[in-house]
Amino acid sequence: MKSAVETLNPTRVRLTVEVPFEELKDSLDAAYKKINQQVTVKGFRKGKIPARVIDQRFGRGAVLEEAVNDALPKFYTEAVNEAELNVLGQPEVDITELKDGETLNFTAEVDIRPAIEIPDYSGIEVEVDAVEVSDEDVEKAVSDLRERFASTSPVERAAQDDDVVTLDLEAKVDGEVLEDGVASGVSYTIGSGELLDGIDEAVKGLEAGGETTFASELKGGSAAGKEAQVTVKVTQVAARELPELDDEFAQLASEFDTLDELKADSRKRLENMKQYDQATQAQERVLEKLLELVEVPVPEKLLEDEIQTRKHNLEHHQLGQMGLDLAKYLEIQGKTEEEFDAETKEAAVKGIKTQFVLDELVNKEKLNVNQEELTEHLMRRAQSSGMSPDQFAQAVVEGGQVPMLVGEVARGKALAVVVEAATVKDTNGEVVDLDDEDEADETAETVEATTEAEAEAEDKPEA
């Protein structure tokens, strides 16, 4: 077999392959054997039909077609390996010449990973938010905790803000009660905004037994997006009572004995949260600076597929779970379809470039992923997916997704290397130390958020 490579552009090549006919012998034998098992010829036992009879009865062309389709993937793979190409996606194969007993010639056009030069990234400088926790932040955290320990008691008066009311609801569209538009005994805190638009104004001023009807656009269910006439009846009004902010509350709501200890712990927790946010911000901004330094051509077909994948996931998974379609989502977001398409393309381009650059860094820095790092990342992913580690691991193995997880961790380590080399200062001008044993896995999460879908794996070509 002989092969040659022609570069069509920085991300696409054409392979020209010439195969001597004798190298098709194994595939021809396999083709005759396969056809033997599929056909019946009078006078011959099944599977024992001579090749010349198959040629006479079914045509030599059928045998050649079967043999070529069987042989193409092998010869294509050999040509790719010989040229040391890093291919993406399925090739477009064209058989240019097939002479029985002489030769098989074909071409294969395929996208490849572009050659990328990683420049010196040690001079990257970024600014991040300073970690500052005010007394007001601490008071709000304690206040939120206090809200969780509020108690309620029924009152005989009209409902007002912050009261907890028990409601019976009935929704009608065009005068017809919806099958999923009736609910009883719904508990709702006035002012929380967790139910229907307009319900706060409707129930305030009603006592137990009071009833009213108001118009509201439904956010979910069978009539999502439609305006409904909602009849609401208040069956109970209860006032919320907050516990006193004292040492007794600290003992009730935490493991601490005093309110001062509880506040100190709240401050520490807020600082940790802001440090995590600061680290994530640093990773994102360092990544943006790195991408600005590197010229990365993006394969057109890969970009098209990535855009379609992102649109599909949004429409059929995220929006579907919320009872929305794309048109309604764009209306809520206040975006045109053209703006949405432009944003999706921009995100897809960034995701592909990020993967290419960080994969090149993995090779350049000779980074490896050990079992412990992979296990820690798997457990984090399992937690975010709502599955147990065992269930998630089984799903990953059965889906052949282990290489994808390894890639995520490796790219996270690559980004961590760049972040470590960068100068990160906060808005106060102080140098930020991001040294953390979990930094590589945190950067893996940052990378995962940017590169939502993996580049397509190499597919088996057919004539």
Side-chain angles (χ1 to χ4, degrees):
M1 185 195 81
K2 295 193 301 183
S3 63
V5 180
E6 177 187 356
T7 300
L8 303 178
N9 62 49
T11 63
R12 194 166 180 84
V13 297
R14 180 188 292 121
L15 286 162
T16 301
V17 184
E18 298 179 10
V19 183
F21 205 80
E22 57 267 22
E23 293 188 31
L24 286 172
K25 182 180 183 308
D26 289 344
S27 293
L28 280 169
D29 292 343
Y32 279 115
K33 185 176 181 180
K34 182 176 180 180
I35 294 174
N36 241 309
Q37 300 299 321
Q38 294 174 338
V39 302
T40 302
V41 176
K42 189 175 181 179
F44 296 95
R45 285 183 298 166
K46 196 174 185 65
K48 299 296 183 179
I49 308 169
R52 60 178 175 78
V53 175
I54 291 176
D55 289 345
Q56 292 169 356
R57 295 293 297 270
F58 304 102
R60 174 71 166 174
V63 180
L64 288 175
E65 181 179 354
E66 181 66 38
V68 168
N69 279 334
D70 176 73
L72 271 177
K74 180 184 71 171
F75 293 123
Y76 166 74
T77 301
E78 287 180 7
V80 166
N81 293 338
E82 184 179 286
E84 298 182 342
L85 298 175
N86 197 338
V87 298
L88 300 167
Q90 182 176 357
E92 296 179 6
V93 177
D94 181 27
I95 297 175
T96 56
E97 187 175 23
L98 176 59
K99 289 185 177 180
D100 194 359
E102 295 183 30
T103 186
L104 163 67
N105 298 336
F106 69 91
T107 62
E109 288 191 18
V110 66
D111 286 333
I112 60 169
R113 282 181 178 254
I116 298 174
E117 288 292 329
I118 303 295
D120 179 17
Y121 48 78
S122 61
I124 290 178
E125 294 186 8
V126 297
E127 184 180 74
V128 295
D129 296 335
V131 174
E132 296 174 341
V133 177
S134 66
D135 292 341
E136 289 76 12
D137 293 332
V138 175
E139 292 300 329
K140 184 180 184 307
V142 174
S143 177
D144 290 344
L145 181 62
R146 185 187 183 199
E147 291 281 344
R148 289 166 50 191
F149 284 85
S151 60
T152 59
S153 57
V155 292
E156 295 183 3
R157 59 165 173 76
Q160 58 190 33
D161 283 334
D162 296 327
D163 282 346
V164 179
V165 289
T166 304
L167 309 173
D168 292 340
L169 299 162
E170 181 185 81
K172 293 181 180 180
V173 173
D174 298 329
E176 297 291 329
V177 178
L178 300 173
E179 289 185 7
D180 55 353
V182 178
S184 300
V186 176
S187 180
Y188 174 67
T189 301
I190 298 176
S192 66
E194 296 174 349
L195 205 52
L196 293 167
D197 290 343
I199 197 167
D200 290 341
E201 293 75 11
V203 299
K204 278 194 294 187
L206 294 180
E207 297 183 14
E211 183 177 311
T212 189
T213 299
F214 65 100
S216 181
E217 183 178 306
L218 300 178
K219 302 300 184 186
S222 61
K226 295 183 178 180
E227 185 170 286
Q229 294 297 313
V230 182
T231 299
V232 57
K233 180 179 180 181
V234 178
T235 60
Q236 179 180 278
V237 178
R240 299 175 72 248
E241 298 176 357
L242 296 174
E244 292 294 328
L245 279 178
D246 52 21
D247 292 347
E248 186 176 339
F249 168 71
Q251 295 164 19
L252 171 69
S254 71
E255 70 271 30
F256 301 106
D257 294 326
T258 68
L259 184 60
D260 287 342
E261 289 175 327
L262 173 59
K263 288 184 176 181
D265 180 71
S266 296
R267 184 180 294 276
K268 182 62 177 175
R269 288 174 183 270
L270 289 171
E271 288 175 350
N272 290 339
M273 289 172 57
K274 291 200 173 189
Q275 285 172 350
Y276 181 88
D277 292 342
Q278 185 188 64
T280 301
Q281 190 179 64
Q283 293 154 11
E284 292 171 348
R285 293 183 178 179
V286 168
L287 177 59
E288 289 174 1
K289 290 282 189 180
L290 176 64
L291 294 181
E292 290 173 5
L293 293 176
V294 187
E295 185 68 29
V296 185
V298 176
E300 292 183 9
K301 182 65 168 60
L302 181 61
L303 178 58
E304 291 174 7
D305 292 343
E306 176 71 1
I307 290 172
Q308 290 305 314
T309 296
R310 288 172 182 257
K311 284 185 174 180
H312 178 85
N313 289 341
L314 176 66
E315 291 187 62
H316 298 280
H317 297 291
Q318 299 166 347
L319 297 183
Q321 292 176 355
M322 296 187 288
L324 298 175
D325 59 17
L326 183 59
K328 189 62 183 178
Y329 168 76
L330 294 179
E331 180 184 332
I332 293 172
Q333 294 291 316
K335 296 177 183 176
T336 65
E337 189 169 346
E338 291 73 19
E339 290 171 334
F340 168 75
D341 287 343
E343 289 178 3
T344 303
K345 180 178 180 180
E346 182 181 356
V349 169
K350 182 179 180 182
I352 293 171
K353 286 185 175 181
T354 296
Q355 182 170 323
F356 285 173
V357 170
L358 294 183
D359 282 348
E360 185 62 30
L361 263 171
V362 169
N363 295 330
K364 180 180 178 180
E365 302 292 345
K366 297 181 174 56
L367 301 175
N368 296 309
V369 176
N370 60 42
Q371 185 61 47
E372 183 180 357
E373 292 167 335
L374 181 59
T375 300
E376 288 178 359
H377 185 60
L378 185 147
M379 294 183 70
R380 287 179 183 245
R381 287 290 304 273
Q383 185 177 17
S384 64
S385 71
M387 301 170 67
S388 71
D390 288 344
Q391 289 174 324
F392 187 79
Q394 183 177 354
V396 166
V397 172
E398 291 177 353
Q401 300 298 303
V402 173
M404 183 191 75
L405 286 188
V406 172
E408 288 175 1
V409 178
R411 293 181 200 113
K413 294 179 72 171
L415 181 53
V417 169
V418 183
V419 172
E420 184 179 357
T423 299
V424 181
K425 294 183 179 180
D426 64 22
T427 49
N428 295 327
E430 298 292 331
V431 175
V432 177
D433 181 9
L434 295 172
D435 186 22
D436 191 301
E437 61 180 5
D438 294 327
E439 183 180 327
D441 208 76
E442 290 172 9
T443 48
E445 294 176 8
T446 300
V447 171
E448 179 197 344
T450 305
T451 59
E452 288 184 354
E454 292 289 304
E456 292 182 359
E458 178 182 350
D459 292 318
K460 179 179 178 180
E462 294 185 0

